[in-house]
């Protein structure tokens, strides 16, 4: 409503202005008896003042039109140059769009040809003639290199990559330059050249290196070169930035942590890595079990079968890492329960009375669990509690399905039979264990 009112008011003012101009012209021209005398010796010209004013106005208009025509005539070469430049620009943009379309459609030969035509056209255009000429040239080289990578033509890819990384083009189009570097990192990863990928990644500006796409590439590089610690730290950053779903992030972090645990060379390194995990990661059963099993493995590998001190230290670490799992033992799957039993068994000799009571209490809560029957029986065997050991191992021998644990169960029963002097039962137990070897 206000806009309509303002438009109406402007129209009224225009009408009033035209009316005032008409009145002024009528007063000036209608009753003007003045004359203007012009002398051109020996002649004299008397003309009406109104006619003189009219001639001046017409002369000014003609002079202005003549000057405009002369300026347009002088500007014709520049206009022709601009027209030619616009035509070339349109052709180049068309080639780049065609190359991009073919690239997305998987027509890499056509994409490479179209992008190369754009590069050839740009060579005839002087630098600085277009506002984005350098950016267009960089993108054209990038499309040629991308198509060459898809066609496994590494020589042509590297040639156009170097052309796209020209410092002059980088200064004119910094964002496109960062895109070229990211593409170069991806190509190096696809070639499984971890060192070249690291070099290209280091060339990225600090801000670009923190972007999700760069962190994804960094994760792939770390996994390519086997740097599990670096890969784990990168995966944590990606999870923090929500680059993956919650379940995918958990799975990736768990897998990388398992790789890092398997790469630990001694107990000190394993302990340092475990302390570097956050609370959520240490609560993962897979990581706690893997760390405990790796600790026992490292203890056995030191000095042949491993020194007693190393075995005790490994057992202490395993019990400490696995202690939170006791309260949710029933939530573990059978494989995890088996791994927990195998991780705790080497430290049963150092198990104190409180630990044994905790184990027996858990076994009573889950009396049908074969893994707990086996572990309780082995613990009683270590403490020379022959009756309880025979009872637990006897029950385990009927319900265990794992060959390794079942073989150890029969060996334990054979030792118990020998302790009580039952040679027939001992031989039968040894025979059962031999069948499982």
């Amino acid at each position: 409503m206000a806009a309509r009112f303002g438009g109406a008011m402007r129209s009224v003012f225009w009408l009033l202005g035209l009316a005032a101009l008409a009145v002024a012209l009528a007063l000036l021209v209608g009753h003007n008896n003045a004359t203007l005398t012009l002398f051109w010796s020996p002649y004299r010209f008397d003309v009406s003042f109104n006619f003189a004013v009219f001639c001046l106005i017409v002369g000014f208009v003609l002079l202005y039109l003549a000057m405009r025509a002369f300026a347009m005539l002088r500007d014709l070469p520049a206009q022709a140059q601009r027209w030619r430049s616009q035509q070339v620009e349109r052709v180049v943009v068309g080639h780049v769009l065609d190359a991009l379309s073919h690239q997305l459609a998987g027509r890499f030969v056509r994409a490479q040809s179209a992008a190369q035509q754009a590069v050839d056209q740009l060579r005839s255009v002087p630098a600085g003639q277009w506002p984005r000429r350098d950016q267009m040239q960089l993108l054209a080289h990038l499309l040629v290199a991308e198509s060459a990578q898809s066609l496994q033509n590494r020589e042509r890819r590297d040639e156009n990559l170097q052309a796209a990384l020209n410092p002059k083009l980088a200064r004119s189009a910094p964002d496109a330059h960062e895109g070229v570097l990211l593409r170069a990192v991806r190509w190096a990863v696809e070639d499984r050249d971890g060192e070249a990928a690291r070099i290209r990644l280091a060339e990225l500006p600090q801000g670009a290196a923190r972007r999700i796409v760069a962190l994804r590439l960094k994760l792939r590089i770390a996994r390519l070169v086997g740097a599990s610690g670096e890969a784990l730290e990168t995966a944590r950053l990606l999870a923090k930035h929500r680059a993956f779903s919650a379940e995918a992030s958990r799975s990736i972090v768990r897998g990388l942590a398992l790789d890092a645990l398997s790469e630990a060379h001694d107990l000190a390194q394993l302990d340092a890595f475990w302390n570097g995990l956050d609370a959520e990661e240490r609560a993962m059963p897979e990581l706690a079990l893997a760390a405990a099993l790796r600790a026992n493995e490292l203890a056995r590998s030191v000095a042949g079968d491993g020194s007693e001190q190393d075995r005790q230290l490994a057992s202490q670490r395993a019990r400490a890492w696995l202690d939170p799992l006791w309260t949710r033992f029933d939530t573990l799957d059978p494989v995890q329960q088996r791994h927990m039993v195998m991780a705790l068994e080497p430290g049963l000799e150092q198990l104190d009375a409180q630990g044994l009571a905790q184990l027996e209490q858990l076994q009573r809560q889950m009396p049908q669990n074969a893994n707990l029957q086996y572990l309780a029986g082995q613990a009683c065997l270590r403490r020379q509690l022959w009756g309880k050991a025979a009872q637990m191992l006897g029950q385990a021998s009927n319900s265990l399905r794992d060959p390794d644990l079942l073989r150890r169960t029969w060996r334990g029963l054979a030792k118990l039979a020998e302790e009580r002097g039952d040679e027939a039962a001992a031989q039968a137990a040894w025979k059962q264990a031999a069948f499982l070897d």
Side-chain angles (χ1 to χ4, degrees), residues 158-231:
D158 294 338
E159 177 185 352
N160 283 273
L161 176 60
Q162 292 302 321
L165 292 175
N166 187 300
K168 180 181 177 182
L169 300 180
R171 288 192 296 270
S172 302
D175 293 336
H177 177 70
E178 294 173 2
V180 173
L181 288 175
L182 288 171
R183 284 292 181 181
V185 174
R186 177 171 296 178
W187 296 337
V189 172
E190 291 176 358
D191 294 341
R192 305 196 65 80
D193 189 348
E195 188 61 30
R198 282 183 179 274
I199 293 174
R200 291 298 186 189
L201 190 64
E203 295 178 9
L204 281 171
Q206 186 176 4
R210 291 197 297 266
R211 296 171 189 161
I212 290 180
V213 62
L215 291 176
R216 286 178 182 269
L217 290 172
K218 185 178 180 181
L219 174 60
R220 294 179 62 183
I221 294 170
R223 300 186 72 172
L224 178 63
V225 300
S228 300
E230 180 182 351

Coordinates of all heavy atoms in Angstrom, one line a residue, residues 158-231:
D158 N 50.3 -36.7 -14.2 CA 51.3 -35.9 -13.5 C 51.7 -34.7 -14.3 O 51.9 -33.6 -13.6 CB 52.6 -36.8 -13.3 CG 52.3 -38.0 -12.4 OD1 51.4 -37.9 -11.6 OD2 53.1 -39.0 -12.5
E159 N 51.7 -34.7 -15.6 CA 52.0 -33.5 -16.4 C 50.9 -32.4 -16.1 O 51.3 -31.3 -15.9 CB 52.0 -33.9 -17.9 CG 52.2 -32.7 -18.8 CD 52.2 -33.1 -20.3 OE1 52.1 -34.3 -20.5 OE2 52.2 -32.2 -21.1
N160 N 49.7 -32.8 -16.2 CA 48.6 -31.8 -16.0 C 48.5 -31.4 -14.5 O 48.1 -30.3 -14.2 CB 47.3 -32.3 -16.5 CG 47.2 -32.3 -18.0 OD1 46.8 -31.2 -18.5 ND2 47.5 -33.3 -18.6
L161 N 48.9 -32.3 -13.6 CA 48.9 -32.0 -12.2 C 49.9 -30.9 -11.9 O 49.6 -29.9 -11.2 CB 49.2 -33.2 -11.4 CG 49.3 -33.0 -9.8 CD1 48.0 -32.5 -9.3 CD2 49.6 -34.3 -9.2
Q162 N 51.1 -31.0 -12.5 CA 52.1 -30.0 -12.3 C 51.7 -28.7 -12.9 O 51.9 -27.6 -12.3 CB 53.4 -30.5 -12.9 CG 54.1 -31.6 -12.2 CD 54.3 -31.3 -10.7 OE1 54.8 -30.2 -10.3 NE2 54.1 -32.3 -9.8
A163 N 51.0 -28.7 -14.0 CA 50.5 -27.5 -14.6 C 49.4 -26.8 -13.7 O 49.4 -25.6 -13.6 CB 49.9 -27.8 -16.0
A164 N 48.6 -27.6 -13.1 CA 47.5 -27.1 -12.2 C 48.1 -26.5 -10.9 O 47.5 -25.6 -10.3 CB 46.5 -28.2 -11.9
L165 N 49.3 -27.1 -10.5 CA 49.9 -26.6 -9.3 C 50.8 -25.4 -9.5 O 51.6 -25.1 -8.6 CB 50.7 -27.8 -8.6 CG 49.8 -28.9 -8.1 CD1 50.7 -30.0 -7.6 CD2 48.9 -28.4 -7.0
N166 N 50.8 -24.8 -10.7 CA 51.6 -23.6 -11.0 C 51.4 -22.5 -9.9 O 50.2 -22.2 -9.6 CB 51.2 -23.1 -12.4 CG 52.2 -22.0 -12.8 OD1 52.3 -21.0 -12.2 ND2 52.8 -22.2 -13.9
P167 N 52.4 -22.0 -9.3 CA 52.2 -21.0 -8.2 C 51.4 -19.8 -8.7 O 50.6 -19.2 -7.9 CB 53.7 -20.6 -7.9 CG 54.5 -21.7 -8.3 CD 53.8 -22.3 -9.5
K168 N 51.5 -19.4 -9.9 CA 50.7 -18.2 -10.4 C 49.2 -18.6 -10.4 O 48.4 -17.8 -9.9 CB 51.1 -17.9 -11.8 CG 50.4 -16.7 -12.4 CD 50.8 -16.4 -13.8 CE 50.0 -15.3 -14.4 NZ 50.4 -15.0 -15.8
L169 N 48.9 -19.8 -10.8 CA 47.5 -20.2 -10.8 C 47.0 -20.3 -9.3 O 45.8 -20.0 -9.0 CB 47.3 -21.5 -11.5 CG 47.6 -21.5 -13.0 CD1 47.4 -22.8 -13.6 CD2 46.9 -20.4 -13.8
A170 N 47.9 -20.8 -8.5 CA 47.5 -21.0 -7.1 C 47.2 -19.7 -6.4 O 46.3 -19.6 -5.6 CB 48.7 -21.7 -6.3
R171 N 48.0 -18.6 -6.7 CA 47.7 -17.3 -6.1 C 46.4 -16.7 -6.6 O 45.7 -16.0 -5.9 CB 48.8 -16.3 -6.5 CG 50.1 -16.6 -5.7 CD 51.1 -15.5 -5.9 NE 51.5 -15.3 -7.3 CZ 52.5 -15.9 -7.8 NH1 53.3 -16.7 -7.1 NH2 52.8 -15.7 -9.1
S172 N 46.0 -17.0 -7.9 CA 44.8 -16.5 -8.4 C 43.6 -17.2 -8.0 O 42.5 -16.6 -7.9 CB 44.8 -16.5 -10.0 OG 46.0 -15.7 -10.4
A173 N 43.7 -18.5 -7.7 CA 42.5 -19.4 -7.3 C 43.0 -20.3 -6.2 O 43.2 -21.5 -6.4 CB 42.0 -20.2 -8.5
P174 N 43.1 -19.7 -4.9 CA 43.6 -20.5 -3.8 C 42.6 -21.7 -3.5 O 43.1 -22.8 -3.1 CB 43.7 -19.5 -2.7 CG 42.8 -18.4 -3.1 CD 42.8 -18.3 -4.5
D175 N 41.3 -21.5 -3.6 CA 40.4 -22.6 -3.2 C 40.5 -23.8 -4.2 O 40.6 -24.9 -3.8 CB 39.0 -22.1 -3.2 CG 38.7 -21.1 -2.1 OD1 39.4 -21.1 -1.1 OD2 37.8 -20.3 -2.2
A176 N 40.6 -23.4 -5.5 CA 40.8 -24.5 -6.5 C 42.2 -25.2 -6.3 O 42.3 -26.4 -6.5 CB 40.7 -23.9 -7.9
H177 N 43.2 -24.4 -5.9 CA 44.5 -25.0 -5.6 C 44.4 -26.0 -4.5 O 45.0 -27.1 -4.6 CB 45.5 -23.9 -5.3 CG 46.8 -24.4 -4.9 ND1 47.7 -24.9 -5.9 CD2 47.5 -24.5 -3.7 CE1 48.8 -25.3 -5.3 NE2 48.7 -25.0 -4.0
E178 N 43.7 -25.7 -3.5 CA 43.5 -26.7 -2.4 C 42.8 -28.0 -2.9 O 43.1 -29.1 -2.5 CB 42.7 -26.1 -1.2 CG 43.4 -24.9 -0.5 CD 42.6 -24.2 0.5 OE1 41.4 -24.6 0.6 OE2 43.0 -23.2 1.1
G179 N 41.8 -27.8 -3.8 CA 41.1 -28.9 -4.3 C 42.1 -29.8 -5.1 O 42.0 -31.0 -5.1
V180 N 43.0 -29.2 -5.9 CA 44.0 -29.9 -6.7 C 44.9 -30.8 -5.7 O 45.2 -31.9 -6.0 CB 44.8 -29.0 -7.5 CG1 46.0 -29.8 -8.2 CG2 43.9 -28.3 -8.6
L181 N 45.3 -30.1 -4.6 CA 46.2 -30.9 -3.7 C 45.4 -32.1 -3.1 O 46.0 -33.1 -2.9 CB 46.6 -29.9 -2.6 CG 47.7 -28.9 -3.0 CD1 48.0 -27.9 -1.8 CD2 49.0 -29.6 -3.4
L182 N 44.1 -31.9 -2.7 CA 43.4 -33.0 -2.2 C 43.2 -34.1 -3.2 O 43.3 -35.3 -2.9 CB 42.0 -32.5 -1.7 CG 42.0 -31.6 -0.5 CD1 40.6 -31.0 -0.3 CD2 42.4 -32.4 0.7
R183 N 43.0 -33.7 -4.5 CA 43.0 -34.8 -5.5 C 44.3 -35.5 -5.7 O 44.3 -36.7 -5.8 CB 42.6 -34.1 -6.8 CG 41.1 -33.8 -7.0 CD 40.3 -35.0 -7.0 NE 38.9 -34.7 -7.1 CZ 37.9 -35.6 -7.2 NH1 38.2 -36.9 -7.1 NH2 36.7 -35.3 -7.3
A184 N 45.4 -34.7 -5.6 CA 46.7 -35.4 -5.7 C 46.9 -36.4 -4.5 O 47.5 -37.4 -4.7 CB 47.8 -34.3 -5.7
V185 N 46.5 -36.0 -3.3 CA 46.6 -36.9 -2.2 C 45.8 -38.2 -2.5 O 46.2 -39.3 -2.2 CB 46.1 -36.2 -0.9 CG1 46.1 -37.2 0.3 CG2 47.0 -35.1 -0.6
R186 N 44.6 -38.0 -3.0 CA 43.7 -39.2 -3.2 C 44.3 -40.1 -4.3 O 44.3 -41.3 -4.2 CB 42.3 -38.7 -3.7 CG 41.4 -39.8 -4.0 CD 40.0 -39.4 -4.3 NE 39.4 -38.8 -3.0 CZ 38.2 -38.3 -2.9 NH1 37.4 -38.2 -4.0 NH2 37.8 -37.8 -1.8
W187 N 44.9 -39.5 -5.3 CA 45.5 -40.3 -6.4 C 46.7 -41.1 -5.8 O 46.9 -42.2 -6.2 CB 46.0 -39.4 -7.5 CG 44.8 -38.7 -8.2 CD1 43.5 -39.1 -8.3 CD2 44.8 -37.5 -9.0 NE1 42.7 -38.3 -9.0 CE2 43.5 -37.2 -9.4 CE3 45.8 -36.6 -9.3 CZ2 43.2 -36.1 -10.2 CZ3 45.5 -35.5 -10.1 CH2 44.2 -35.3 -10.5
A188 N 47.5 -40.4 -5.0 CA 48.6 -41.1 -4.4 C 48.2 -42.3 -3.5 O 48.8 -43.4 -3.5 CB 49.5 -40.2 -3.6
V189 N 47.1 -42.1 -2.8 CA 46.5 -43.2 -2.0 C 46.0 -44.3 -2.9 O 46.3 -45.5 -2.6 CB 45.4 -42.7 -1.1 CG1 44.6 -43.8 -0.4 CG2 45.9 -41.7 -0.1
E190 N 45.4 -44.0 -4.0 CA 44.9 -45.0 -4.9 C 46.1 -45.8 -5.5 O 46.0 -47.0 -5.9 CB 44.1 -44.4 -6.0 CG 42.7 -43.8 -5.5 CD 42.0 -43.1 -6.6 OE1 42.5 -43.0 -7.7 OE2 40.8 -42.7 -6.3
D191 N 47.2 -45.1 -5.7 CA 48.4 -45.7 -6.2 C 49.2 -46.5 -5.1 O 50.2 -47.1 -5.4 CB 49.4 -44.7 -6.8 CG 48.8 -44.1 -8.1 OD1 47.9 -44.7 -8.7 OD2 49.3 -43.0 -8.5
R192 N 48.7 -46.4 -3.9 CA 49.3 -47.0 -2.7 C 50.7 -46.5 -2.5 O 51.6 -47.2 -2.1 CB 49.3 -48.5 -2.8 CG 47.9 -49.1 -3.1 CD 47.8 -50.6 -2.8 NE 48.1 -50.9 -1.4 CZ 47.1 -50.8 -0.5 NH1 45.9 -50.4 -0.7 NH2 47.4 -51.2 0.8
D193 N 50.9 -45.2 -2.7 CA 52.1 -44.6 -2.5 C 52.0 -43.7 -1.2 O 51.6 -42.5 -1.3 CB 52.5 -43.7 -3.7 CG 54.0 -43.2 -3.6 OD1 54.6 -43.3 -2.5 OD2 54.5 -42.7 -4.6
G194 N 52.2 -44.3 -0.1 CA 52.0 -43.6 1.2 C 52.9 -42.3 1.4 O 52.4 -41.3 1.9
E195 N 54.1 -42.4 1.0 CA 55.1 -41.3 1.2 C 54.7 -40.1 0.3 O 54.7 -39.0 0.8 CB 56.5 -41.8 0.8 CG 57.6 -40.8 1.1 CD 57.7 -40.5 2.6 OE1 57.3 -41.4 3.4 OE2 58.1 -39.4 2.9
A196 N 54.3 -40.4 -1.0 CA 53.9 -39.3 -1.8 C 52.6 -38.6 -1.3 O 52.4 -37.4 -1.3 CB 53.7 -39.8 -3.2
A197 N 51.7 -39.5 -0.8 CA 50.5 -38.9 -0.2 C 50.7 -38.1 1.0 O 50.1 -37.0 1.2 CB 49.5 -40.1 0.2
R198 N 51.7 -38.5 1.8 CA 52.0 -37.6 3.0 C 52.6 -36.3 2.6 O 52.3 -35.3 3.2 CB 53.0 -38.4 3.9 CG 52.4 -39.5 4.8 CD 53.5 -40.1 5.6 NE 53.0 -41.1 6.5 CZ 52.4 -40.9 7.7 NH1 52.3 -39.7 8.2 NH2 52.0 -41.9 8.4
I199 N 53.4 -36.3 1.6 CA 54.1 -35.1 1.1 C 53.0 -34.1 0.6 O 53.0 -32.9 0.9 CB 55.1 -35.4 0.0 CG1 56.3 -36.2 0.6 CG2 55.6 -34.1 -0.6 CD1 57.3 -36.6 -0.4
R200 N 52.1 -34.6 -0.2 CA 51.0 -33.8 -0.8 C 50.1 -33.3 0.4 O 49.7 -32.1 0.3 CB 50.2 -34.6 -1.8 CG 50.9 -34.9 -3.1 CD 51.3 -33.6 -3.8 NE 51.9 -33.9 -5.1 CZ 52.5 -33.1 -5.9 NH1 52.6 -31.8 -5.5 NH2 53.0 -33.4 -7.0
L201 N 49.8 -34.1 1.3 CA 49.0 -33.7 2.4 C 49.6 -32.6 3.3 O 48.9 -31.7 3.8 CB 48.6 -34.9 3.3 CG 47.6 -34.7 4.4 CD1 46.2 -34.4 3.7 CD2 47.4 -35.9 5.3
A202 N 50.9 -32.7 3.4 CA 51.7 -31.6 4.2 C 51.7 -30.3 3.4 O 51.9 -29.2 4.1 CB 53.1 -32.1 4.4
E203 N 51.4 -30.3 2.1 CA 51.4 -29.0 1.4 C 50.1 -28.2 1.6 O 50.0 -27.1 1.2 CB 51.6 -29.3 -0.1 CG 53.0 -29.8 -0.5 CD 53.1 -30.2 -1.9 OE1 52.2 -29.8 -2.7 OE2 54.1 -30.8 -2.3
L204 N 49.1 -28.9 2.1 CA 47.8 -28.2 2.4 C 48.0 -27.1 3.4 O 48.7 -27.3 4.4 CB 46.7 -29.2 2.8 CG 46.1 -30.1 1.7 CD1 45.2 -31.2 2.4 CD2 45.3 -29.2 0.8
P205 N 47.2 -26.0 3.3 CA 47.2 -25.0 4.4 C 46.6 -25.6 5.6 O 45.9 -26.6 5.6 CB 46.3 -23.9 3.8 CG 46.3 -24.1 2.3 CD 46.5 -25.6 2.1
Q206 N 46.9 -25.0 6.7 CA 46.5 -25.5 8.0 C 45.0 -25.6 8.1 O 44.5 -26.6 8.7 CB 47.1 -24.6 9.2 CG 46.8 -25.2 10.6 CD 47.4 -24.4 11.6 OE1 48.0 -23.3 11.4 NE2 47.4 -24.8 12.9
G207 N 44.3 -24.7 7.6 CA 42.8 -24.7 7.7 C 42.3 -25.9 6.9 O 41.3 -26.6 7.3
A208 N 42.8 -26.0 5.7 CA 42.3 -27.1 4.8 C 42.6 -28.5 5.3 O 41.9 -29.4 5.1 CB 42.9 -26.9 3.4
A209 N 43.8 -28.6 6.0 CA 44.2 -29.9 6.6 C 43.3 -30.4 7.7 O 43.3 -31.5 8.1 CB 45.6 -29.8 7.1
R210 N 42.4 -29.5 8.3 CA 41.5 -29.8 9.4 C 40.1 -30.2 8.9 O 39.3 -30.5 9.7 CB 41.5 -28.7 10.4 CG 42.7 -28.5 11.2 CD 42.5 -27.7 12.4 NE 42.0 -26.4 12.1 CZ 42.7 -25.3 12.0 NH1 44.0 -25.4 12.2 NH2 42.2 -24.1 11.7
R211 N 39.9 -30.0 7.5 CA 38.6 -30.4 7.0 C 38.4 -31.9 7.0 O 39.3 -32.6 7.0 CB 38.5 -29.8 5.6 CG 38.5 -28.3 5.5 CD 38.6 -27.8 4.1 NE 38.9 -26.3 4.1 CZ 39.4 -25.7 3.0 NH1 39.6 -26.4 1.9 NH2 39.6 -24.4 3.1
I212 N 37.1 -32.2 7.0 CA 36.7 -33.6 7.1 C 37.3 -34.4 5.9 O 37.8 -35.5 6.1 CB 35.2 -33.8 7.2 CG1 34.7 -33.3 8.5 CG2 34.8 -35.2 7.0 CD1 33.2 -33.4 8.7
V213 N 37.2 -33.9 4.7 CA 37.8 -34.6 3.6 C 39.2 -34.9 3.7 O 39.8 -35.9 3.3 CB 37.4 -33.8 2.2 CG1 38.1 -32.5 2.2 CG2 37.8 -34.7 1.0
A214 N 40.0 -33.9 4.2 CA 41.4 -34.1 4.5 C 41.7 -35.1 5.6 O 42.6 -35.9 5.5 CB 42.1 -32.7 4.8
L215 N 40.9 -35.1 6.6 CA 41.1 -36.0 7.7 C 40.7 -37.5 7.2 O 41.4 -38.4 7.6 CB 40.2 -35.7 8.9 CG 40.5 -34.4 9.6 CD1 39.5 -34.1 10.7 CD2 41.9 -34.5 10.3
R216 N 39.7 -37.6 6.3 CA 39.5 -38.9 5.8 C 40.7 -39.4 5.0 O 41.0 -40.6 5.1 CB 38.2 -38.8 4.9 CG 36.9 -38.7 5.6 CD 35.8 -38.6 4.6 NE 34.5 -38.4 5.2 CZ 33.7 -39.4 5.5 NH1 34.0 -40.6 5.3 NH2 32.5 -39.1 6.0
L217 N 41.3 -38.6 4.2 CA 42.5 -39.0 3.4 C 43.6 -39.3 4.4 O 44.4 -40.2 4.2 CB 42.9 -37.9 2.5 CG 41.9 -37.7 1.3 CD1 42.3 -36.4 0.5 CD2 41.9 -38.9 0.4
K218 N 43.8 -38.5 5.5 CA 44.8 -38.8 6.4 C 44.6 -40.1 7.1 O 45.6 -40.9 7.3 CB 44.8 -37.7 7.5 CG 46.0 -37.8 8.5 CD 45.9 -36.6 9.5 CE 47.1 -36.7 10.5 NZ 47.0 -35.6 11.4
L219 N 43.4 -40.5 7.4 CA 43.1 -41.8 7.9 C 43.5 -42.9 7.0 O 44.1 -43.9 7.4 CB 41.6 -41.9 8.3 CG 41.1 -43.2 8.8 CD1 41.8 -43.6 10.1 CD2 39.6 -43.2 9.0
R220 N 43.1 -42.7 5.7 CA 43.5 -43.8 4.7 C 45.0 -43.9 4.6 O 45.5 -45.0 4.4 CB 42.9 -43.4 3.4 CG 41.3 -43.5 3.3 CD 40.8 -43.1 2.0 NE 41.2 -44.0 1.0 CZ 40.9 -43.9 -0.3 NH1 40.1 -42.9 -0.7 NH2 41.3 -44.8 -1.2
I221 N 45.7 -42.8 4.6 CA 47.2 -42.8 4.5 C 47.8 -43.5 5.7 O 48.7 -44.4 5.6 CB 47.7 -41.4 4.4 CG1 47.3 -40.7 3.1 CG2 49.3 -41.4 4.5 CD1 47.6 -39.2 3.0
A222 N 47.3 -43.2 6.9 CA 47.8 -43.8 8.1 C 47.6 -45.4 8.1 O 48.5 -46.1 8.5 CB 47.2 -43.2 9.4
R223 N 46.4 -45.8 7.6 CA 46.2 -47.2 7.5 C 47.0 -47.8 6.4 O 47.4 -49.0 6.5 CB 44.7 -47.4 7.2 CG 43.8 -46.9 8.3 CD 42.3 -47.3 8.1 NE 42.1 -48.7 8.3 CZ 40.9 -49.2 8.4 NH1 39.8 -48.5 8.2 NH2 40.8 -50.5 8.6
L224 N 47.3 -47.1 5.3 CA 48.1 -47.6 4.2 C 49.5 -47.8 4.7 O 50.1 -48.9 4.3 CB 48.1 -46.6 3.1 CG 48.9 -46.9 1.8 CD1 48.4 -48.2 1.2 CD2 48.9 -45.8 0.8
V225 N 50.1 -46.9 5.5 CA 51.5 -47.1 5.9 C 51.6 -47.9 7.2 O 52.7 -48.1 7.7 CB 52.2 -45.7 6.1 CG1 52.2 -44.9 4.7 CG2 51.5 -44.9 7.1
G226 N 50.5 -48.3 7.8 CA 50.5 -49.1 9.0 C 50.7 -48.3 10.3 O 51.2 -48.9 11.3
A227 N 50.5 -47.0 10.3 CA 50.6 -46.2 11.5 C 49.3 -46.2 12.2 O 48.4 -45.3 12.1 CB 51.0 -44.7 11.1
S228 N 49.1 -47.3 13.0 CA 47.8 -47.5 13.7 C 47.5 -46.4 14.7 O 46.4 -46.0 14.9 CB 47.8 -48.9 14.4 OG 48.0 -49.9 13.4
G229 N 48.6 -45.9 15.4 CA 48.3 -44.9 16.4 C 47.8 -43.6 15.8 O 46.9 -43.0 16.3
E230 N 48.5 -43.2 14.7 CA 48.0 -42.0 14.0 C 46.6 -42.2 13.4 O 45.8 -41.3 13.4 CB 49.0 -41.7 12.9 CG 48.7 -40.4 12.1 CD 49.6 -40.2 10.9 OE1 50.7 -40.9 10.9 OE2 49.4 -39.3 10.1
A231 N 46.4 -43.4 12.9 CA 45.1 -43.7 12.3 C 44.0 -43.6 13.4 O 42.9 -43.1 13.1 CB 45.1 -45.0 11.6

